[in-house]
Amino acid sequence: MVKLTRVLLVAGLLLGTVAQAAETATVFGAASLKNALDEAGKAFTAQSGIAIRASYAASSALARQIESGAPADLFASADLEWMDYLDRKKLIRPETRVNLLNNRLVVVAPKDARESEVPFTVEGFSKVLGADGRLATGEVNSVPVGKYAKAAFEKLGLWATIQPRLAQSDNVRAALALVSRGEAPLGVVYASDAKSDPGVKVVGVFPEDSHPPVVYPFAVTAEARGEGAARFLDFLKGPAGRAFFEAQGFSVIPAGR
């Protein structure tokens, strides 16, 4: 009987370990978060045994996928609007929502471009774009980076010049790739994206007051399974998670702000 009890105890412990290792949290993250969240996810899994599975796209696309029933446990948006959208539809747990990160909006060019700086003037952009060059960014009516870019160009009096020259992409990483491959002479992306791609260089940083602050809210979804998403979010809010974001060029918003 004693031996049987011990066998059952060991079997129970082993099953518990397997269950923990088998737990997975699915993260739907803005495309600009890919590098940081991938690295943070590896560290969290090594520490907790909970696997992190991530899907990256524009925040607009991810929010609509969640609305359509996609099995996401944690949503990380590149702007407040799409998190508000899910909140209004009761598709996130509002008590878990946190504004975690800031980013900067920048102009990038291919790394071998002659220009080291592009003035925020009609002449400055027209000179670099030439007769038929395009400026790559996200879709301006839905993708956060495109919305920020449109607001900034409007504020700076450049929208009428830039609008006809836009190459609008599904997400910020697609816009970044157009510039990195030399298919567009300029692009508007986030500072963290520029840092992630050695094929581009920053040739302009938008004034912070030219567009709404670039804020990344995170929240556990209403249909999240298990505790993995909440635990991963706690990890991201702590010192370990902060290091991964800062290494990729994000600014971490102090708690309580």
Side-chain angles (χ1 to χ4, degrees):
M1 178 64 75
V2 173
K3 288 184 178 180
L4 178 60
T5 301
R6 287 177 179 173
V7 169
L8 291 174
L9 178 60
V10 171
L13 291 172
L14 288 174
L15 286 172
T17 301
V18 170
Q20 182 185 41
E23 185 175 354
T24 300
T26 300
V27 179
F28 275 24
S32 51
L33 291 167
K34 177 174 172 51
N35 298 64
L37 282 183
D38 280 351
E39 293 303 312
K42 292 175 186 176
F44 174 73
T45 298
Q47 171 186 302
S48 67
I50 299 171
I52 298 299
R53 181 171 54 197
S55 178
Y56 300 105
S59 302
S60 51
L62 296 173
R64 294 201 182 281
Q65 288 173 27
I66 293 171
E67 182 183 17
S68 297
D73 301 309
L74 180 67
F75 179 47
S77 175
D79 73 354
L80 298 172
E81 181 178 337
W82 286 108
M83 187 64 79
D84 290 342
Y85 179 84
L86 292 186
D87 193 5
R88 288 194 298 271
K89 293 180 176 293
K90 302 187 185 305
L91 292 173
I92 63 166
R93 298 177 187 175
E95 71 277 7
T96 69
R97 179 174 175 171
V98 58
N99 292 340
L100 191 57
L101 306 171
N102 285 134
N103 215 333
R104 294 296 304 273
L105 197 66
V106 301
V107 182
V108 293
K111 66 177 180 181
D112 57 357
R114 289 180 299 173
E115 295 79 11
S116 60
E117 183 177 359
V118 177
F120 285 95
T121 63
V122 171
E123 295 77 10
F125 279 87
S126 297
K127 178 182 177 182
V128 178
L129 292 174
D132 56 4
R134 297 283 179 173
L135 183 144
T137 193
E139 204 284 321
V140 299
N141 292 317
S142 60
V143 177
V145 72
K147 292 171 13 185
Y148 291 126
K150 179 182 179 181
F153 283 127
E154 287 179 335
K155 180 71 176 291
L156 297 170
L158 297 171
W159 181 240
T161 299
I162 296 298
Q163 183 182 18
R165 313 296 297 275
L166 288 175
Q168 300 181 52
S169 299
D170 291 338
N171 62 70
V172 68
R173 288 299 174 93
L176 180 70
L178 289 176
V179 181
S180 183
R181 295 195 301 259
E183 297 174 22
L186 292 175
V188 176
V189 299
Y190 302 120
S192 60
D193 296 297
K195 187 171 183 175
S196 75
D197 191 333
V200 304
K201 62 182 179 180
V202 175
V203 294
V205 179
F206 283 88
E208 289 192 75
D209 64 355
S210 67
H211 58 84
V214 180
V215 178
Y216 289 71
F218 288 56
V220 176
T221 65
E223 301 298 323
R225 300 148 297 177
E227 298 180 356
R231 290 179 61 184
F232 186 44
L233 182 53
D234 285 342
F235 176 85
L236 295 176
K237 293 190 294 184
R242 179 189 187 110
F244 290 107
F245 292 123
E246 291 179 339
Q248 294 297 328
F250 293 91
S251 298
V252 178
I253 299 174
R257 290 183 57 185

